[in-house]
Amino acid sequence: MISTLIASAVLAQADPVELYRSFEKGKTYSYAVRTHMQTENREQGLTTFIPSDVDINYDFNYKVLDVKNSGIARVHYKRPTMTQIDGETADRGPVSTKIPVNYNLEMDVSPVNAITGLKDLSPSATAQGIRPFRKLNLMSPMARQDIISELGGELQRLALFVGSFDSSLDFAPKLPLSEVEVGETWRQTMSYQPMELKGSGGKFEMQRLDMDLKFNGLVDRGGKKVYNIIGTLKLDSDAAIYINQAMRMSANESGLAKLPLKLDTTVDFEIDPKTKATLRATTRTKGGWSIFVTGLNTAVQEEKITGRGTLTLVSVK
């Protein structure tokens, strides 16, 4: 009898599952996102790292305005503010700053959580893109700071999941287009990073940085059965090669010898078995970067990054 029950449970888990969102017109989904990151910085000549903490928190909601026959939902998304809490230092306590972002968007969201259309209902100034690399001698601290703000800053945004909708938790995870069985995997693009082009003989280009997603079937979380998806994202690249190639300079000419970028992230998603809405997501990230210039064996600047975060479905009304 027991063996029959075990066999039935295994078979039930092995059945293919269609992970398509089912939206209901008029429903409003309200979520809370809470993230924390600690960075530890060290410059040449220092023996210890200087820690710094920051929290980025926000609430958002979206109302389902309509659902097409294809299953694509037209939703009204709102995120009024984000709160940044800078951790205490030797000179002061924590500082909390409420940042008005005023996201007021109309979106088309597909059953696999892909945003297929977006209209800004309250247009604001266009965000600045990444500045092009300038042909500077990278022994200069100012030039190094430009690189840090571009590449290191993107690592921080990925650790906090507070970048674009592609890399945030708001409509994550992207779900598979076809049925999946327990153990199957698919990918979701999170960002673009300088990585070696396979088979190119050492040529670096900006390439997709993908999160691998694995379906683990039904699991018990707090007495409730939920579908579990685990996402993993790994980056281990040397951006110095890409930067020098982009500037058409050798390492001796630019002064930049190595710029290793590392990121190792795990995201645990809990999915409603009925609606396929994300109920909760928990993130853990470790990573960092360091800058090596020619003629020196030690890094002139380096940063360690540790991040964690949660997305929680607060209510559906």
Side-chain angles (χ1 to χ4, degrees), residues 102-157:
N102 299 320
Y103 284 0
N104 184 22
L105 308 170
E106 187 175 293
M107 301 176 170
D108 290 334
V109 183
S110 80
V112 295
N113 277 337
I115 298 173
T116 60
L118 189 149
K119 179 181 179 182
D120 193 344
L121 302 180
S122 55
S124 57
T126 303
Q128 293 184 351
I130 293 179
R131 299 185 303 278
F133 293 118
R134 294 178 293 165
K135 289 191 175 183
L136 295 175
N137 186 322
L138 296 177
M139 295 292 286
S140 160
M142 183 177 296
R144 293 201 299 268
Q145 192 59 43
D146 282 348
I147 297 171
I148 294 166
S149 64
E150 292 169 5
L151 298 177
E154 180 63 8
L155 291 188
Q156 292 185 3
R157 287 187 288 274

Side-chain angles (χ1 to χ4, degrees), residues 4-310:
T4 302
L5 290 173
I6 293 174
S8 298
V10 170
L11 287 172
Q13 285 279 312
D15 290 341
V17 174
E18 189 178 75
L19 295 176
Y20 282 1
R21 286 284 308 270
S22 59
F23 297 97
E24 184 177 341
K25 183 178 179 179
K27 292 289 188 183
T28 298
Y29 291 77
S30 297
Y31 284 90
V33 176
R34 303 290 182 264
T35 66
H36 174 82
M37 179 179 67
Q38 181 181 76
T39 58
E40 299 175 85
N41 287 270
R42 182 171 68 180
E43 295 190 2
Q44 186 183 17
L46 296 178
T47 57
T48 58
F49 284 85
I50 307 301
S52 178
D53 293 89
V54 64
D55 290 18
I56 302 290
N57 302 326
Y58 64 92
D59 300 328
F60 71 91
N61 66 71
Y62 57 86
K63 182 177 182 179
V64 180
L65 303 177
D66 194 18
V67 184
K68 300 176 183 179
N69 292 334
S70 62
I72 293 177
R74 183 164 56 91
V75 307
H76 186 190
Y77 173 100
K78 292 183 178 180
R79 190 201 302 177
T81 63
M82 299 175 72
T83 299
Q84 177 173 321
I85 305 171
D86 295 301
E88 66 178 338
T89 67
D91 303 320
R92 56 159 179 78
V95 175
S96 179
T97 305
K98 184 171 285 189
I99 304 166
V101 293
N102 299 320
Y103 284 0
N104 184 22
L105 308 170
E106 187 175 293
M107 301 176 170
D108 290 334
V109 183
S110 80
V112 295
N113 277 337
I115 298 173
T116 60
L118 189 149
K119 179 181 179 182
D120 193 344
L121 302 180
S122 55
S124 57
T126 303
Q128 293 184 351
I130 293 179
R131 299 185 303 278
F133 293 118
R134 294 178 293 165
K135 289 191 175 183
L136 295 175
N137 186 322
L138 296 177
M139 295 292 286
S140 160
M142 183 177 296
R144 293 201 299 268
Q145 192 59 43
D146 282 348
I147 297 171
I148 294 166
S149 64
E150 292 169 5
L151 298 177
E154 180 63 8
L155 291 188
Q156 292 185 3
R157 287 187 288 274
L158 286 168
L160 286 165
F161 286 83
V162 294
S164 67
F165 284 116
D166 286 336
S167 58
S168 73
L169 295 172
D170 298 26
F171 292 95
K174 295 298 183 291
L175 300 170
L177 294 170
S178 56
E179 291 183 335
V180 290
E181 297 181 354
V182 172
E184 284 197 56
T185 62
W186 63 99
R187 287 187 163 183
Q188 170 182 341
T189 299
M190 300 293 291
S191 177
Y192 287 82
Q193 290 289 325
M195 293 182 283
E196 185 176 0
L197 191 63
K198 291 182 179 179
S200 67
K203 184 179 180 180
F204 274 59
E205 291 185 358
M206 293 297 284
Q207 298 182 66
R208 289 171 35 175
L209 179 61
D210 292 332
M211 175 178 287
D212 291 314
L213 295 156
K214 181 180 179 181
F215 180 58
N216 289 325
L218 280 172
V219 300
D220 187 283
R221 294 289 172 87
K224 293 176 61 177
K225 292 292 185 182
V226 299
Y227 283 138
N228 177 236
I229 295 171
I230 296 293
T232 55
L233 181 151
K234 294 183 185 295
L235 172 67
D236 188 352
S237 182
D238 184 355
I241 301 173
Y242 168 77
I243 294 168
N244 288 331
Q245 288 177 353
M247 296 189 301
R248 298 182 180 180
M249 300 175 75
S250 68
N252 286 332
E253 290 172 325
S254 70
L256 181 63
K258 292 188 295 182
L259 204 172
L261 306 175
K262 295 181 182 294
L263 207 65
D264 192 340
T265 295
T266 301
V267 190
D268 187 316
F269 294 100
E270 299 174 19
I271 307 296
D272 186 324
K274 182 179 179 181
T275 67
K276 313 305 187 295
T278 302
L279 302 173
R280 184 175 173 84
T282 305
T283 75
R284 293 288 184 272
T285 298
K286 285 189 176 295
W289 52 263
S290 50
I291 293 181
F292 292 81
V293 298
T294 53
L296 295 175
N297 294 324
T298 58
V300 295
Q301 197 167 352
E302 52 192 318
E303 178 176 89
K304 298 178 183 178
I305 298 171
T306 305
R308 65 176 187 270
T310 59

